Amino acid sequence: MTSIGLAVIGAGYWGPNLVRNAMATPELRLEWLCDLDEERARAVLGRYTTVRPTSSVEEVLNDPAVQAVAIATPARTHFDLVRAALDAGKHVLVEKPLTPTYEEGAKLVALAEERGRVLMLDHTFCYTPVVRRIRELIASGELGEVQFVDSVRINLGLVQPDVDVLWDLAPHDLSILDFVLPQGVTPIAVAAHSSDPIGAGRPCLAYLTLWLSSGAIAHVHVNWLSPTKIRTTVIGGSRRTIVWDDVNPAQRLSVYDRGVDLTSAGEDERRAALISYRTGDVVVPALPEREALRGVMSEFAAAIAEGRSPLTDGRSGLRVLALLEAAGRSIQNDGKRIDLGGTA
Ligand SMILES: NC(=O)c1ccc[n+]([C@@H]2O[C@H](COP(=O)([O-])OP(=O)(O)OC[C@H]3O[C@@H](n4cnc5c(N)ncnc54)[C@H](O)[C@@H]3O)[C@@H](O)[C@H]2O)c1
């Protein structure tokens, strides 16, 4: 199989990670690194490389040696860049969030389908061994029915110039949920609260509640202002409960056979209901340490080669946008519950 010619657009904070992982992926052949600031692109590439730096997106898109582009520029630029790349016949990997609005994202998804090109989201966490394992534990029924999800992603974060904390951090939690929830279980309503205690002009911390079609509730807390970094997700099931602590590599994932059961003794059910506590084993699955972006790049290359949708396709990006927009509407309405009406 011949390799796929790739250009990375954006050489800021995240772009160099795409460059490094593209270079380590044999199915991809990095041709260009493009940034408005060509010197930045040159500095990322270093001296000993055949990859060309440029500040011209046009030059990249006109190059027939480029079949695919990976876009790591700020969210506000995604719509124009992705559209131009698709119009030029390129396959596209784009950073989260897909676009700043659902409407724009939907146009891009339609355009990719019309052109028969791969449109993939870099929902990075979905390619981590830990999220893969969580997905398996849920799909195999080992957890039982998902009863609740509680996700905390807080640290001293970069206050972004163009997006609030929800649009910056919650795409991670929402794309993970989208990836791990059992088939047929989807969010049906959203409520969110946020605040901007430092006067940044946009929310710096937010609390998001999702009602799921199964009756379960998922909660996401994102915050740029926390002095300590907490990345913990608890997924409670009727049989087992998962605790994922992403800042503890020695015990990233724990599976607890511990929980609360309600048994009913018969006659007058309400009076005779018995609460029993299970205290079984805690299992810590062995997980490989593998950089998620390697998985992202391999999946992008495989989807192009096989002419199929990637695991995190444009539609998964759209489902995340639907939730983010609904959360924004809820914030504007003092935290009112917003029903999704089939958009997510
Ligand atoms: N998947 C993840 O875990 C993850 C982590 C961090 C950031 N991101 C995403 O990556 C994207 C970029 O974030 P960042 O923190 O690297 O931003 P950044 O501001 O550090 O870098 C963006 C770069 O893009 C360049 N650029 C802007 N417009 C351009 C254009 N039209 N053409 C060419 N270059 C252009 C800028 O010059 C800059 O160097 C965002 O969508 C962000 O959400 C994803």
Side-chain angles (χ1 to χ4, degrees), residues 35 37 90 106 111 144 154 157 162 181-182 197 206 210 226 231 249 255 278 283 311 321 336:
D35 197 288
D37 180 347
K90 315 296 182 192
L111 184 62
I154 68 179
D162 61 339
L181 282 177
L210 306 176
S226 163
R231 296 271 165 90
V255 184
R278 264 181 301 115
V283 175
L311 268 178
L321 295 184
K336 185 175 164 236

Side-chain angles (χ1 to χ4, degrees), residues 48-116:
Y48 307 103
T49 178
T50 54
V51 180
R52 288 160 288 174
T54 179
S55 59
S56 164
V57 173
E58 214 183 344
E59 190 173 18
V60 165
L61 297 184
N62 283 336
D63 182 353
V66 172
Q67 285 97 48
V69 296
I71 297 173
T73 56
R76 65 177 181 280
T77 66
H78 290 178
F79 181 73
D80 287 341
L81 287 173
V82 174
R83 187 175 54 179
L86 291 171
D87 277 340
K90 315 296 182 192
H91 302 281
V92 178
L93 169 68
V94 60
E95 276 309 321
K96 57 80 194 166
L98 172 56
T99 47
T101 66
Y102 183 91
E103 198 188 341
E104 288 172 323
K107 283 185 189 156
L108 295 180
V109 169
L111 184 62
E113 284 171 5
E114 203 181 292
R115 297 260 192 272

Side-chain angles (χ1 to χ4, degrees), residues 17 27 96 120 170 184-185 187 201 207 209 228 231 252 263 279 290 321:
N17 294 324
E27 297 81 11
K96 57 80 194 166
M120 174 167 165
V185 177
Y207 300 89
T209 305
T228 53
R231 296 271 165 90
R252 217 182 276 282
T263 50
T279 50
R290 199 177 55 225
L321 295 184

Side-chain angles (χ1 to χ4, degrees), residues 183-221:
Q183 277 229 312
V185 177
T186 53
I188 54 165
V190 175
H193 299 84
S194 69
S195 106
D196 172 20
I198 61 167
R202 61 190 61 83
C204 293
L205 59 107
Y207 300 89
L208 177 62
T209 305
L210 306 176
W211 285 267
L212 305 181
S213 53
S214 59
I217 276 187
H219 191 260
V220 175
H221 172 199

